[in-house]
């Protein structure tokens, strides 16, 4: 039986010449119409995440060193992202939106291949100012990462791409004011 309604929050398409965002929400499946938005055709970053970073109700985009405010896609550079040991890549292989520290502002969970780490980027009170990066763990090289409600408790777990060592599922949580990660293999 076909679904009568399709709810697509955001679909991000990355291209060699930059990234594009296509959005559609709550439309009947027969009436879906996509509108292409070119946000930054010179971006060197592969990862992107969509959330409301400035609290205005619009879905913004975070990618690499910047976030872009909808609907005009104004760029707000908030951090520096180093090149990897392979100069064709930056140390940013995921930009997953999540309020990590529970302050009501959407932070970013990221991972990196060359430095082998998972980190979160803290969203400050002023979203246009510099964001602070905090290392969570260095479990191994990662091509990407996802936030998954693995246990059905509305708490995301971070899943990284399997490596030769083993696959790992990471639970990111706040314990006594400190961000902790617990892993299962």
């Amino acid at each position: 039986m076909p679904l009568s309604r399709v709810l697509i929050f955001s679909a991000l398409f990355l291209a060699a010449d930059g990234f594009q965002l296509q959005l559609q929400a709550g439309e009947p499946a027969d009436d879906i119409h996509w509108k292409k938005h070119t946000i930054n055709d010179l971006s060197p970053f592969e990862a992107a995440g969509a959330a409301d970073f400035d609290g205005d109700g619009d879905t913004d985009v975070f990618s690499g060193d910047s976030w872009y405010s909808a609907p005009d896609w104004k760029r707000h550079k908030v951090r520096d992202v180093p090149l990897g040991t392979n100069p064709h890549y930056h140390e940013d292989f995921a930009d997953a939106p999540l309020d990590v520290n529970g302050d009501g502002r959407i932070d970013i969970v990221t991972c990196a291949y060359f430095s082998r780490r998972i980190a979160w980027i803290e969203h400050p009170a002023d979203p246009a100012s510099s964001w602070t990066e905090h290392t969570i763990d260095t479990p191994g090289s990662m091509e990407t990462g996802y936030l998954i409600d693995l246990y059905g408790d509305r708490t995301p777990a971070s899943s990284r791409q399997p490596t030769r060592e083993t696959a790992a599922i990471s639970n990111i949580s706040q314990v006594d004011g400190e961000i902790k990660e617990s892993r299962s293999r």
Side-chain angles (χ1 to χ4, degrees), residues 88-161:
H88 300 288
Y89 296 97
H90 285 78
E91 286 284 72
D92 183 61
F93 286 79
D95 288 325
L98 176 69
D99 182 6
V100 175
N101 58 357
D103 66 0
R105 294 186 295 270
I106 303 297
D107 307 302
I108 294 292
V109 177
T110 188
C111 65
Y113 183 85
F114 302 103
S115 62
R116 309 164 73 110
R117 60 193 210 103
I118 298 172
W120 68 284
I121 307 157
E122 186 175 2
H123 182 299
D126 174 6
S129 64
S130 293
W131 294 33
T132 303
E133 187 166 326
H134 307 273
T135 297
I136 297 170
D137 198 3
T138 53
S141 298
M142 294 154 280
E143 290 273 345
T144 192
Y146 305 95
L147 297 175
I148 304 165
D149 182 2
L150 190 64
Y151 306 107
D153 62 359
R154 302 181 65 92
T155 302
S158 170
S159 172
R160 67 183 180 94
Q161 178 185 5

Side-chain angles (χ1 to χ4, degrees), residues 49-63:
D52 182 8
F53 296 107
D54 56 8
D56 65 359
D58 292 331
T59 302
D60 307 310
V61 173
F62 191 103
S63 181

Side-chain angles (χ1 to χ4, degrees), residues 2-25:
L3 295 173
S4 61
R5 295 186 64 78
V6 175
L7 180 63
I8 301 172
F9 178 66
S10 68
L12 296 164
F13 298 94
L14 305 177
D17 61 346
F19 61 90
Q20 301 166 347
L21 172 70
Q22 299 183 10
L23 297 173
Q24 187 67 39

